[in-house]
Amino acid sequence: MSKLRLVILLFLLHSVALVSAQGSTNGTSSWQTLNGSAPLVIARGGFSGLFPDSSSDAFSFALMTSLSNVVLWCDVQLTKDGAGICFPHMKLENASDISSVFENKRKAYLVNGVSMSGWFSVDFTLTDLENVTLNQGVASRSIWFDGMHSPILTVQEMVKQIRPPGLWLNIEHDEFYTQHNLSMRSFVLSVSKSVIVDYISSPEVAFLRSVSQQFKATETKLVFRFLEKEETEPSTNQNYGSLLDNLTFIKTFASGILVPKGYIWPVDKDSYLLPSTLVVQNAHKEGLEVFGSDFINDITFSYNYSYDPIAEVLNFIDNDAFSVDGVLSDFPITPSAAIDCFAHISKNASGPEKPLIISYNGASGDYPSCTNLAYTKAISDGVDVLDCNVQMTKDGTPICLSSVNLMDSTKVAQTSFSSFTTTITEVQTGSGIFTFNLTWEDISSLTPAISNPYSNYRLSRNPKSKNAGKLVSLSDFLSIAKEANSLSGVLIIIEHAPFLVKVGLSITDAVLDALSKAGYDNGTTPRVMIQSTNSSVLKEFKEKKKNYELVYRVDENIRDASDATIEDIKKFATSVVINKESIYPQNKAFVIGATDIVTRLRKNNLPVYAEHFDNECMAQAWDFFADATVEINSFVMGAGIDGVITSFPQTAASYRKNRCLKYKNAPSYMRPVEPGGLMQILTRDDLPPALAPYPVLTESDVAESPLPEVTASSTNGETTATTSPNGQPKIATCIVLSNLAVLLVTILLL
């Protein structure tokens, strides 16, 4: 790795080099590991979730972002001249550009009785591989770092360059290499004389038994690696599932086992957790350490974890029955934080007041938006402020729904109400079935549908509960919130008010009436926050009620706001909601820098709440390592926001309780990322095209005329909008008729 690149890497996290990790001594009760020490973090190929596996950058970044005793994992392959290289696959084209460097060197071999075709290390000398560079072998991950020309490293080179606190060599396909006159046994015995090898693992019994005597009196630990239960171990001809029943035999040549996480916490066919097995307890009884593998942030894991990778790690290290002795991860920052910051935290523990946790349609990451279940889950998860996005029905009932279009959050399109589909461009682009065209009785009969914002990436939310719960009115919502003693307030969101006036509905009056009837005006109930993108709405509330917190939501990405604009906002709002990208702008899912909009607003006594935070890996920029907690921490500790608006309140509540927030010097894995840091690593040729800067928020963007009064001539729910030549919405009449109404008209005409 070049000195320049190393300097840039060291710059990515604030003062990383000055902070020592604190993992094994967090002041809690002893761990349920075999030796009572904190579990190990094993970085598979370094930080391979981001950088090319086994590259110097991946190894270096793992050291920077992990516990101080992190163990670096190297999958060993042997070259034609007997050198041992760190490479994740025996087929070199899976994670390098070798197929373009040596186009005609494809070969086919039998490997454990199966024919395999590709580029194999046994056909190339170490000198041949000097012109081959590593790349990202997982298609769903960023390819932008492939142009960094990372060379293939030998085990010795890796140790010399990186100086790992711990080294783990994984050895596979011993028989294949033997057929090519190469000896894994000889290599391992030789390399252990020149470098310190802490762990050697293999899924092959014969190999481990062949070296067990030589390492018996050393500090090197041998670990038997279990593959999938149905696969056959080549030297015993038994499948790995059956070998699991003979741990006494495993103990004769190994001091530990490495198992896929499903061996410990199996999942059913729908990816929900089944009861844990006794694998860890049984192995510990035999004196065997247990390491879990397949801890990967950017793949689908059990829905029970709500896409929170820290929650998954905690289930393996911090439960009432056992703790694994280590976890193998492509994203070592996550288990590092889980071990040091989140494990052994009492459920009743309290954290700092910031950030304020505001729900996004309740716990909409786990249940259909704005249902009774989404709200009760958000409360139990530890939300501070419960939100209701108010919509109006045809009969004037204010209800909670994520969108004015019922098709976004219910199965209305599959009912007889599908005939109410219409297009109202003043409300949204495209057609919809709108709340103000149906009565509350109609809407309350509908089946809710969970939001799946990342379905294009095959990421779905809690399928078992995708239609669970009941839709609620604003009155129902206020009752739910009032019964929850843990809440500090409610957030009432009001949109489309000017349009609703035109159809004879006053959403502001409906909200004020519901709040008054629910007793939210006596000053003893939780605070009420009124949010809108319309300054006219907030001005109306300011005139009628002075004890509500008025929240102005900026509905576009901005880079700044003029002084005059901020002064205008202060006249009608007491806080501001802005998009995450207004704080950390992105390009091709990379953070390209930071604005100072949060600082400017807060200096003007306007608290800033950022929206909205999701747990799914596709919701975060690459800079946040497919870990929602890293993202939250960067916005809170780095940007200084006052609150997070989230679909997964439990993750935010867990973050706020973590002990590392109390450390005088936060460890590297609990420090905000450097905005634009990853972009600085990319070579000029690999940089994505620059984007035009976001606009500055101006006075004209926030200025609005007062809301008009509802008049008797307004047509209740029977309008749509077209677009006038100057591009401004223009109201036009549109009668929405049910099939029955059409039939009656036809009869009358006859």
Side-chain angles (χ1 to χ4, degrees):
M1 180 170 59
S2 69
K3 291 183 179 179
L4 176 60
R5 189 185 298 169
L6 179 58
V7 170
I8 294 174
L9 274 171
L10 291 173
F11 179 66
L12 281 176
L13 295 175
H14 300 286
S15 307
V16 168
L18 301 178
V19 180
S20 61
Q22 318 194 22
S24 59
T25 57
N26 58 25
T28 63
S29 59
S30 60
W31 294 84
Q32 296 185 87
T33 54
L34 182 63
N35 59 17
S37 299
L40 285 175
V41 173
I42 307 134
R44 195 187 69 82
F47 208 118
S48 56
L50 184 65
F51 298 103
D53 192 308
S54 302
S55 65
S56 57
D57 297 302
F59 287 130
S60 297
F61 202 65
L63 291 190
M64 292 169 52
T65 56
S66 306
L67 291 168
S68 58
N69 63 342
V70 64
V71 178
L72 300 187
W73 167 288
C74 165
D75 283 293
V76 179
Q77 315 297 335
L78 295 180
T79 64
K80 187 176 183 178
D81 48 350
I85 59 173
C86 292
F87 198 89
H89 308 282
M90 69 180 310
K91 294 174 63 175
L92 301 183
E93 75 273 18
N94 286 351
S96 79
D97 64 353
I98 195 168
S99 61
S100 59
V101 177
F102 296 99
E103 295 182 13
N104 301 318
K105 287 284 189 175
R106 176 188 287 272
K107 295 286 185 68
Y109 294 112
L110 283 177
V111 181
N112 293 337
V114 178
S115 179
M116 296 177 64
S117 176
W119 282 257
F120 296 84
S121 60
V122 295
D123 295 316
F124 302 93
T125 65
L126 195 58
T127 301
D128 294 333
L129 297 178
E130 287 179 355
N131 295 321
V132 176
T133 59
L134 297 166
N135 58 34
Q136 181 55 260
V138 179
S140 61
R141 294 174 177 169
S142 174
I143 62 171
W144 293 104
F145 299 110
D146 290 356
M148 295 167 65
H149 306 294
S150 302
I152 295 174
L153 300 174
T154 65
V155 174
Q156 293 89 336
E157 287 170 340
M158 188 273 271
V159 172
K160 183 178 180 180
Q161 287 186 25
I162 309 302
R163 301 184 182 279
L167 176 63
W168 187 307
L169 301 182
N170 184 57
I171 308 298
E172 298 189 23
H173 309 298
D174 177 50
E175 183 179 341
F176 171 77
Y177 288 107
T178 300
Q179 293 170 357
H180 290 268
N181 297 318
L182 296 168
S183 172
M184 274 291 187
R185 180 178 184 277
S186 297
F187 168 77
V188 166
L189 295 177
S190 174
V191 76
S192 64
K193 296 177 182 178
S194 58
V195 302
I196 298 175
V197 181
D198 298 275
Y199 295 87
I200 298 173
S201 64
S202 177
E204 299 168 25
V205 170
F207 172 76
L208 291 177
R209 295 184 74 181
S210 72
V211 299
S212 61
Q213 289 302 313
Q214 283 74 15
F215 288 104
K216 195 170 186 178
T218 70
E219 296 296 318
T220 302
K221 295 182 178 181
L222 302 184
V223 178
F224 181 60
R225 183 181 188 183
F226 283 80
L227 302 182
E228 294 303 321
K229 292 182 178 180
E230 300 78 18
E231 291 189 49
T232 301
E233 194 283 318
S235 55
T236 63
N237 251 353
Q238 298 182 57
N239 63 42
Y240 288 95
S242 62
L243 284 171
L244 191 64
D245 296 328
N246 198 355
L247 293 176
T248 303
F249 169 64
I250 304 298
K251 178 63 176 174
T252 62
F253 58 85
S255 62
I257 59 174
L258 172 65
V259 298
K261 62 189 180 185
Y263 273 57
I264 300 169
W265 279 101
V267 296
D268 63 20
K269 61 181 179 61
D270 298 316
S271 294
Y272 287 89
L273 287 177
L274 296 170
S276 62
T277 68
L278 295 175
V279 167
V280 177
Q281 295 93 319
N282 291 341
H284 281 175
K285 287 179 182 178
E286 293 290 341
L288 290 166
E289 290 184 295
V290 182
F291 304 94
S293 66
D294 305 331
F295 287 86
I296 304 172
N297 292 6
D298 58 352
I299 63 171
T300 301
F301 40 98
S302 172
Y303 292 113
N304 297 77
Y305 303 123
S306 299
Y307 290 102
D308 184 349
I310 283 185
E312 180 186 41
V313 174
L314 289 174
N315 206 30
F316 285 80
I317 66 170
D318 187 16
N319 61 70
D320 294 334
F322 62 85
S323 170
V324 296
D325 299 276
V327 294
L328 176 64
S329 174
D330 293 17
F331 297 83
I333 189 172
T334 296
S336 294
I339 292 166
D340 188 24
C341 306
F342 291 83
H344 302 155
I345 298 292
S346 169
K347 292 182 179 179
N348 298 321
S350 61
E353 293 183 358
K354 283 184 58 178
L356 190 71
I357 302 170
I358 305 170
S359 64
Y360 183 77
N361 301 316
S364 55
D366 295 304
Y367 290 101
S369 298
C370 300
T371 57
N372 60 330
L373 293 181
Y375 287 132
T376 54
K377 178 69 162 57
I379 293 169
S380 65
D381 285 347
V383 75
D384 297 314
V385 176
L386 201 64
D387 75 306
C388 170
N389 198 339
V390 179
Q391 313 298 339
M392 294 296 291
T393 67
K394 183 177 181 178
D395 52 347
T397 303
I399 65 174
C400 299
L401 208 63
S402 62
S403 168
V404 67
N405 182 1
L406 289 160
M407 296 173 71
D408 292 337
S409 56
T410 73
K411 299 180 71 175
V412 66
Q414 300 172 32
T415 70
S416 60
F417 297 119
S418 61
S419 60
F420 282 76
T421 302
T422 187
T423 299
I424 306 178
T425 56
E426 193 173 357
V427 175
Q428 67 168 47
T429 58
S431 61
I433 302 173
F434 300 101
T435 60
F436 47 76
N437 285 331
L438 298 179
T439 67
W440 172 229
E441 183 179 359
D442 296 332
I443 294 172
S444 62
S445 68
L446 298 176
T447 300
I450 201 166
S451 169
N452 284 304
Y454 308 100
S455 58
N456 288 343
Y457 303 100
R458 298 182 181 179
L459 297 178
S460 58
R461 291 177 170 176
N462 196 11
K464 281 188 176 180
S465 299
K466 64 182 180 181
N467 301 122
K470 296 180 180 180
L471 301 178
V472 299
S473 66
L474 176 57
S475 177
D476 296 330
F477 166 83
L478 293 173
S479 296
I480 293 171
K482 205 167 186 180
E483 293 174 2
N485 296 326
S486 60
L487 290 180
S488 63
V490 293
L491 175 68
I492 308 300
I493 302 168
I494 298 175
E495 299 296 344
H496 309 300
F499 172 81
L500 290 170
V501 168
K502 297 172 184 177
V503 298
L505 296 169
S506 175
I507 188 172
T508 54
D509 287 345
V511 167
L512 284 167
D513 182 60
L515 287 169
S516 178
K517 288 179 177 177
Y520 277 76
D521 290 339
N522 59 18
T524 61
T525 53
R527 66 174 171 176
V528 175
M529 303 165 69
I530 305 293
Q531 175 186 305
S532 182
T533 58
N534 297 116
S535 59
S536 57
V537 169
L538 300 181
K539 288 176 181 177
E540 182 161 319
F541 271 90
K542 186 171 184 178
E543 291 176 2
K544 296 182 177 180
K545 287 287 180 183
K546 297 185 182 296
N547 59 332
Y548 292 164
E549 179 179 342
L550 303 179
V551 186
Y552 181 60
R553 176 177 176 264
V554 181
D555 61 353
E556 62 177 331
N557 291 327
I558 60 173
R559 72 175 186 273
D560 203 351
S562 67
D563 291 338
T565 304
I566 294 176
E567 287 301 317
D568 275 358
I569 292 173
K570 290 170 63 177
K571 293 175 183 177
F572 60 81
T574 50
S575 56
V576 179
V577 169
I578 57 178
N579 295 325
K580 293 186 297 183
E581 286 198 43
S582 295
I583 303 170
Y584 292 143
Q586 294 183 23
N587 186 3
K588 298 295 183 182
F590 284 99
V591 172
I592 59 177
T595 69
D596 65 350
I597 186 65
V598 173
T599 300
R600 284 175 39 72
L601 290 170
R602 295 188 77 240
K603 281 184 177 179
N604 282 274
N605 297 316
L606 288 169
V608 179
Y609 311 125
E611 68 172 11
H612 77 272
F613 291 81
D614 285 334
N615 282 5
E616 289 93 341
C617 61
M618 302 309 300
Q620 296 118 31
W622 297 114
D623 305 65
F624 304 126
F625 318 128
D627 188 330
T629 298
V630 175
E631 182 184 40
I632 292 172
N633 186 58
S634 294
F635 277 86
V636 173
M637 303 302 292
I641 63 172
D642 297 277
V644 297
I645 301 173
T646 174
S647 307
F648 297 88
Q650 187 172 38
T651 298
S654 176
Y655 161 75
R656 202 169 57 182
K657 292 180 181 180
N658 88 80
R659 70 172 58 83
C660 289
L661 293 179
K662 301 176 183 178
Y663 290 166
K664 183 178 180 180
N665 292 314
S668 58
Y669 36 84
M670 196 46 64
R671 285 182 168 255
V673 302
E674 182 68 24
L678 289 183
M679 287 283 284
Q680 296 179 52
I681 300 177
L682 298 177
T683 61
R684 185 177 297 275
D685 292 339
D686 291 321
L687 287 172
L691 297 178
Y694 294 141
V696 174
L697 192 69
T698 64
E699 293 171 271
S700 62
D701 294 320
V702 302
E704 291 181 355
S705 301
L707 285 177
E709 295 290 332
V710 174
T711 64
S713 61
S714 298
T715 54
N716 189 6
E718 295 181 352
T719 65
T720 186
T722 59
T723 301
S724 62
N726 65 6
Q728 297 302 314
K730 180 177 65 176
I731 300 300
T733 302
C734 173
I735 301 176
V736 183
L737 298 173
S738 68
N739 292 334
L740 177 60
V742 173
L743 178 61
L744 289 173
V745 170
T746 304
I747 293 173
L748 289 173
L749 288 175
L750 292 174

